[in-house]
Amino acid sequence: MSDLAAFIRGLPKAELHLHIEGSLEPELMFELARRNGVALPFASVEEVRAAYAFSNLQDFLDIYYQGAGVLITERDFHDLAMAYFRRVATDGCRHVELFFDPQTHTDRGIAFSTVMDGLLAGMAEAERDLGITSSLILCFLRHLDEAAAFATLKAAEPYLDRIVGVGLDSSEVGHPPLKFARVFAAARAKGLKLVAHAGEEGPPEYVWEALDILDVDRIDHGNRALEDPALVKRLVHDGKTLTVCPLSNLKLRVVPSLKDHPLRTMLDLGLKATINSDDPAYFGGYLGQNWIQAADALELSLAELITLARNSFTGSFLPPEAVARHLAAIDAYAEGSSPYS
Ligand code: ADE
Ligand code: ZN
């Protein structure tokens, strides 16, 4: 391992943009398909991996929803979560705010409680055995309608003390944040935090809507905000966290290469960017790999890496005492261990 990779792996960090269904590795997909008697349209793990060549977000989403079809039982959701946590424990990840897409499962006849109980069991085990804390963000699928989002919020009612916030994901273009204004207002009234994917493929106007109409606490992705200087100014002024996903952006052709990735520009502009993996099983790398490859391609400085690590905690929904503890751990680590000194 290079000095830079070793430094990054040891740096305390949080992941704020991770779709748990996007951590389903082909090996586990096959195991669950066998366990549950689900037919897959692929003959082998290699064939599945070969299918992971995407031209855009929709290409990926089609295969991602198909893959999620093997998740049937509470144990499946537990195993999915634990496989992810075991993997990021080796990346120096201390805290995760994970997205889940209940409609992908309830629309197939899986009970909301099956999804929740399985994920919560995995999260409790990860905290006990790996020392990784986590919380859940329920995402509404934006290609579905407002009524379906309201029904999902209602199904979540018994679990609201175990869900930190709601988000908005799936096909962005043609499904602006405005479509979910009322359901986000209802979620806010229940005390939930709010986030939304915006500016991944969609225009800067969608980021404005996420801010002005949904009143989100964080923007997921936000790349296209850079096209609008007034929007950048607003995001900087509000100190709004962007959950940026370098390898996802590369795989979904949001950027032509990692060297062209806007992460460094975002930091230079004063934007509060973070590094995340999005759907690591599909995009070729977990949290640590996103950090290492971005740092390498963009030649990020030690100070920039530490800013990114700090942003991952100050942009989280952790209580202030926990944020302070993680920031102190970053400071202690940075003083004692530098690849540059
Ligand atoms: N669902 C899973 N990953 C996503 C992404 N990158 N954008 C929108 N919806 C998603
Ligand atoms: Zn995402």
Side-chain angles (χ1 to χ4, degrees):
M1 202 188 307
S2 71
D3 285 352
L4 177 66
F7 176 78
I8 285 174
R9 289 204 185 278
L11 184 61
K13 58 184 89 62
E15 171 137 83
L16 306 180
H17 187 155
L18 174 276
H19 301 262
I20 195 64
E21 293 90 349
S23 71
L24 179 63
E25 291 287 347
E27 288 80 2
L28 184 58
M29 191 190 291
F30 269 85
E31 187 185 326
L32 298 186
R34 189 168 11 91
R35 198 152 97 185
N36 294 320
V38 174
L40 285 175
F42 304 104
S44 66
V45 163
E46 293 69 35
E47 214 175 277
V48 179
R49 287 224 158 81
Y52 292 177
F54 314 114
S55 303
N56 54 37
L57 174 60
Q58 193 60 50
D59 266 8
F60 153 69
L61 289 170
D62 292 343
I63 210 161
Y64 160 88
Y65 293 129
Q66 186 177 56
V70 302
L71 296 159
I72 308 285
T73 67
E74 193 177 311
R75 181 178 157 212
D76 299 341
F77 288 94
H78 162 274
D79 292 356
L80 175 70
M82 271 314 289
Y84 164 75
F85 285 121
R86 265 189 236 103
R87 184 62 195 69
V88 289
T90 66
D91 285 344
C93 183
R94 306 289 179 88
H95 176 69
V96 185
E97 297 184 354
L98 53 119
F99 297 139
F100 71 115
D101 288 342
Q103 288 158 295
T104 299
H105 313 300
T106 53
D107 285 2
R108 298 182 287 118
I110 310 295
F112 191 90
S113 58
T114 299
V115 182
M116 286 298 299
D117 294 345
L119 293 177
L120 289 168
M123 292 162 68
E125 191 173 323
E127 184 159 357
R128 191 185 64 225
D129 295 352
L130 303 170
I132 301 178
T133 58
S134 58
S135 52
L136 285 171
I137 298 176
L138 181 166
C139 282
F140 302 116
L141 297 181
R142 67 202 304 159
H143 67 273
L144 300 179
D145 63 19
E146 184 199 38
F150 266 114
T152 303
L153 187 59
K154 190 161 192 306
E157 199 75 52
Y159 289 96
L160 286 188
D161 56 338
R162 279 151 291 173
I163 293 174
V164 73
V166 299
L168 189 62
D169 66 0
S170 191
S171 320
E172 187 181 6
V173 175
H175 302 285
L178 173 66
K179 181 175 164 185
F180 297 93
R182 292 190 301 189
V183 74
F184 267 61
R188 178 66 95 202
K190 292 178 190 300
L192 293 165
K193 300 286 189 186
L194 309 178
V195 301
H197 283 55
E200 180 184 19
E201 284 189 344
E205 288 69 31
Y206 285 20
V207 181
W208 281 112
E209 282 189 14
L211 295 173
D212 289 338
I213 297 174
L214 301 188
D215 188 27
V216 293
D217 297 290
R218 292 196 298 246
I219 296 285
D220 296 315
H221 296 291
N223 300 48
R224 291 197 58 193
L226 298 192
E227 295 169 23
D228 180 345
L231 178 54
V232 169
K233 196 168 162 199
R234 165 72 180 280
L235 290 164
V236 171
H237 175 269
D238 291 359
K240 204 63 82 181
T241 299
L242 305 184
T243 63
V244 180
C245 305
L247 291 176
S248 163
N249 292 160
L250 182 66
K251 278 285 195 173
L252 299 185
R253 306 199 189 179
V254 170
V255 295
S257 79
L258 278 187
K259 285 196 185 304
D260 296 303
H261 196 281
L263 178 68
R264 178 106 184 245
T265 307
M266 288 171 167
L267 294 176
D268 289 346
L269 289 167
L271 288 163
K272 192 166 160 184
T274 58
I275 296 181
N276 307 273
S277 71
D278 207 2
D279 300 283
Y282 293 86
F283 300 150
Y286 284 75
L287 184 61
Q289 208 52 38
N290 273 271
W291 274 75
I292 291 164
Q293 293 196 34
D296 194 36
L298 299 170
E299 299 181 28
L300 298 177
S301 68
L302 175 62
E304 285 167 332
L305 295 176
I306 289 170
T307 296
L308 286 160
R310 293 179 67 87
N311 289 352
S312 76
F313 291 108
T314 58
S316 76
F317 298 138
L318 281 168
E321 323 77 74
V323 173
R325 218 172 343 100
H326 288 295
L327 295 182
I330 292 171
D331 290 344
Y333 179 75
E335 276 161 29
S337 158
S338 163
Y340 301 91
S341 60

